Amino acid sequence: MSPSIYKLAARGRWIALLAVLLFAGLIFRLWWSLRSPAIVQELPFTRVESKQNSTHSNHGGVVAGDDASKHQQSNSNASTVHCPDMPGMEDILVVLKTGVTEALNKVPAQLDTVLRCTPNFVIVSDYEEVIGGVRTVDVLRNVSDHIKQSQAEFDLYNRVQRGGRVALRPEDYGSDFNSQYGRQGNPGWMLDKWKFLPMIDAVLERQPTAKWFVFIEADTYLFWENLLAWVSKHDPSQPKYLGCQTAIGDNVFAHGGSGFVLSNPAMRKVSEHRKTHMSELEELTVREWAGDSVLGRVLKDVGVSLTWSWPMSQGKQLWDLDCFSEAYSRRAWCHPVVTFHHMTPIEVYDMWAFDQQWLDSHRSGTNTVLFRDIFVNLVLPEIGGVRNNWDNLSEDEVKDDKSPDHKFTAEECRERCKGKSDCLQYTHHPDGRCLASRGTMQGEPKVNVTSGWMIDRITAKMDEFGKCETVEYVL
């Protein structure tokens, strides 16, 4: 073989070897990206501010914004963003609690809306990753190894810590069916109860001087202006625990999804108690099925009582909310609404749009959003008359005295409601059931269901409740 042939053969071997090495390198990078925690830099939605113009910066999980962020232009509708500019905003840390199975679906809407107007916030989760330029904080890291290895709820957590998001399985997303014991068929929800106590230390460490800590979830909508006005009427130097009351057995606590507020002294009491009762509190969490209940028990043990905050802290969605409702010697109508719960990302965007329009049109006067305002602007335009394929969520079943098994027609159901002076709406189901209500809800689509509202009575009820010359607060 000639020297030139040897040279060509040698060059070919080097080229082949180089190709093999390059291919191996690509395989390694792909393998490494799959086993490492996912870092999400771009999301499938239009952010209001671009990354180049964003004024939010990441500081170990706490995000601080400046005034420039209040005037960014929307890429979708070019409308000006109006954020409240009130004394005290800098003293509040908003804590958004989420989890790996829902974060990518729900957190972007929060970053694009509520959290845009939040000077200081932290996103706590069961998985550390970057979403929209914000790093989440894994608050389960300081749960004991014994608990992580012995409790079935941590199977999801352990797999994701080892393998990243690719370790998630379809069954990890589970069912959203909410029973009286929560979403027991949802592994992400089951794991969530372990975050409530650890997140107290995690966020206190990041913002130790905050006067108020406001805890919301990824499906909670927060009205900033109303929150500021509310907490300004409370003393942050005292141990305070504000939230929508609920109960499991004899334990009354603030419902997590409705949002709750803790003052700095209350936070420190929980933190100090946890340091000396770690094992005991982990065993308590094993026995309980709701983490907000565990936190409520601890607050009671350290002497911090709950301020029952219904209706301001609200567990309802807009479509199933009765703004005429009365409970606990309070009437919702003239109270400000601070939170809604179970809000889908689309509903978060819709509420944000209303919130922005409200702030824009009320610059010269009070911009407090009352339940009355929610009803007049968002519910009333959607109701009235008869609506087919719609369920307005009436609950009181109507019976025929002469024939208890009588199956009503839609017209008969309407006439029964019309014949009762306190009936404001009715629902007729295809099986002949007729339901009525003394409240008024917007409702939701449902095939073959017919709903109707007595709009003249609803208007009279609005006149009776009045225009709210005085704003009512839970104090």
Side-chain angles (χ1 to χ4, degrees):
M1 186 179 294
S2 68
S4 61
I5 297 298
Y6 275 114
K7 289 180 181 179
L8 288 173
R11 184 181 301 173
R13 287 194 297 272
W14 278 109
I15 292 173
L17 179 60
L18 181 60
V20 170
L21 290 174
L22 287 172
F23 181 75
L26 289 173
I27 294 297
F28 176 80
R29 288 187 64 184
L30 177 61
W31 170 80
W32 182 258
S33 67
L34 292 177
R35 75 176 296 277
S36 301
I39 303 298
V40 183
Q41 296 293 351
E42 296 293 340
L43 297 166
F45 76 106
T46 303
R47 286 189 61 83
V48 177
E49 69 269 24
S50 67
K51 286 188 178 298
Q52 290 78 10
N53 297 327
S54 175
T55 57
H56 286 165
S57 58
N58 183 22
H59 300 289
V62 177
V63 177
D66 60 26
D67 290 341
S69 68
K70 299 175 185 177
H71 304 289
Q72 294 288 342
Q73 296 296 311
S74 169
N75 294 329
S76 58
N77 58 20
S79 62
T80 300
V81 174
H82 302 290
C83 291
D85 186 11
M86 294 176 61
M89 289 187 73
E90 69 281 1
D91 296 324
I92 297 176
L93 178 67
V94 174
V95 182
L96 176 73
K97 180 171 64 62
T98 187
V100 66
T101 59
E102 69 169 16
L104 295 187
N105 180 41
K106 297 179 180 179
V107 170
Q110 293 284 353
L111 290 172
D112 222 18
T113 58
V114 173
L115 294 182
R116 286 198 59 197
C117 287
T118 303
N120 303 293
F121 69 86
V122 59
I123 302 177
V124 300
S125 182
D126 45 37
Y127 181 58
E128 182 178 336
E129 60 186 331
V130 176
I131 303 178
V134 180
R135 184 171 294 279
T136 65
V137 178
D138 175 9
V139 293
L140 298 183
R141 284 181 174 176
N142 63 350
V143 174
S144 71
D145 290 338
H146 164 71
I147 290 294
K148 290 177 184 176
Q149 299 306 318
S150 64
Q151 298 302 310
E153 292 98 340
F154 278 91
D155 173 67
L156 167 63
Y157 177 82
N158 293 331
R159 272 190 289 108
V160 173
Q161 296 310 304
R162 291 191 301 266
R165 281 191 165 274
V166 294
L168 287 170
R169 303 167 181 166
E171 58 267 28
D172 291 332
Y173 296 90
S175 168
D176 273 338
F177 173 72
N178 202 0
S179 71
Q180 62 176 328
Y181 300 109
R183 290 179 285 168
Q184 296 286 318
N186 188 313
W189 186 91
M190 296 289 288
L191 179 63
D192 186 74
K193 73 174 183 177
W194 290 96
K195 300 170 192 168
F196 281 84
L197 289 182
M199 73 180 177
I200 299 297
D201 285 325
V203 301
L204 191 57
E205 178 183 330
R206 283 164 173 76
Q207 200 83 347
T209 60
K211 293 180 180 179
W212 296 105
F213 295 80
V214 179
F215 295 84
I216 60 174
E217 298 190 355
D219 60 351
T220 308
Y221 188 85
L222 174 67
F223 287 85
W224 248 111
E225 195 82 13
N226 289 359
L227 168 70
L228 289 167
W230 186 30
V231 298
S232 70
K233 300 179 183 301
H234 292 268
D235 184 357
S237 69
Q238 299 300 312
K240 291 284 186 175
Y241 176 32
L242 316 174
C244 183
Q245 63 273 19
T246 190
I248 296 177
D250 62 352
N251 182 36
V252 180
F253 56 94
H255 178 232
S258 302
F260 60 94
V261 181
L262 289 173
S263 66
N264 192 297
M267 293 280 291
R268 293 191 179 280
K269 281 179 173 288
V270 174
S271 179
E272 291 163 7
H273 183 76
R274 182 170 179 261
K275 289 175 185 175
T276 57
H277 297 78
M278 184 73 75
S279 296
E280 174 187 333
L281 294 178
E282 287 187 339
E283 288 304 318
L284 173 62
T285 308
V286 169
R287 297 192 301 271
E288 295 275 357
W289 58 265
D292 41 9
S293 174
V294 175
L295 178 58
R297 287 190 183 277
V298 173
L299 283 159
K300 183 178 180 181
D301 290 343
V302 298
V304 181
S305 58
L306 173 65
T307 298
W308 292 23
S309 301
W310 185 94
M312 295 180 65
S313 179
Q314 184 61 242
K316 293 283 190 178
Q317 296 167 280
L318 176 63
W319 53 267
D320 66 350
L321 173 69
D322 176 17
C323 292
F324 294 142
S325 60
E326 301 182 40
Y328 313 105
S329 302
R330 297 178 193 144
R331 179 181 289 174
W333 191 248
C334 291
H335 280 81
V337 54
V338 174
T339 57
F340 281 124
H341 187 213
H342 291 306
M343 301 285 282
T344 67
I346 291 176
E347 289 168 340
V348 168
Y349 278 112
D350 287 344
M351 191 60 71
W352 167 258
F354 165 75
D355 207 353
Q356 290 292 292
Q357 292 169 5
W358 183 267
L359 290 171
D360 190 42
S361 61
H362 289 77
R363 290 187 178 191
S364 59
T366 177
N367 44 25
T368 304
V369 181
L370 308 179
F371 281 92
R372 177 190 182 277
D373 302 317
I374 292 292
F375 183 80
V376 170
N377 290 277
L378 298 179
V379 178
L380 190 60
E382 300 296 324
I383 65 175
V386 179
R387 191 167 182 176
N388 295 321
N389 297 315
W390 194 264
D391 184 358
N392 64 15
L393 308 176
S394 300
E395 295 181 341
D396 301 326
E397 187 166 2
V398 176
K399 290 289 188 180
D400 188 311
D401 294 336
K402 297 181 180 179
S403 179
D405 296 328
H406 177 72
K407 298 186 183 301
F408 292 87
T409 65
E411 184 58 33
E412 288 175 333
C413 188
R414 177 176 175 78
E415 288 302 314
R416 284 301 182 100
C417 180
K418 189 175 180 180
K420 300 180 60 156
S421 60
D422 60 352
C423 181
L424 300 183
Q425 66 176 43
Y426 68 91
T427 309
H428 177 262
H429 289 267
D431 60 4
R433 284 181 300 127
C434 174
L435 297 101
S437 177
R438 291 176 291 178
T440 302
M441 282 78 73
Q442 177 180 329
E444 59 186 341
K446 186 168 288 187
V447 176
N448 295 328
V449 174
T450 300
S451 293
W453 296 265
M454 302 296 163
I455 197 66
D456 54 337
R457 294 176 183 174
I458 292 171
T459 303
K461 178 72 75 171
M462 292 170 59
D463 292 339
E464 175 192 339
F465 281 18
K467 294 185 177 180
C468 301
E469 301 298 332
T470 301
V471 177
E472 300 173 10
Y473 286 93
V474 175
L475 301 175

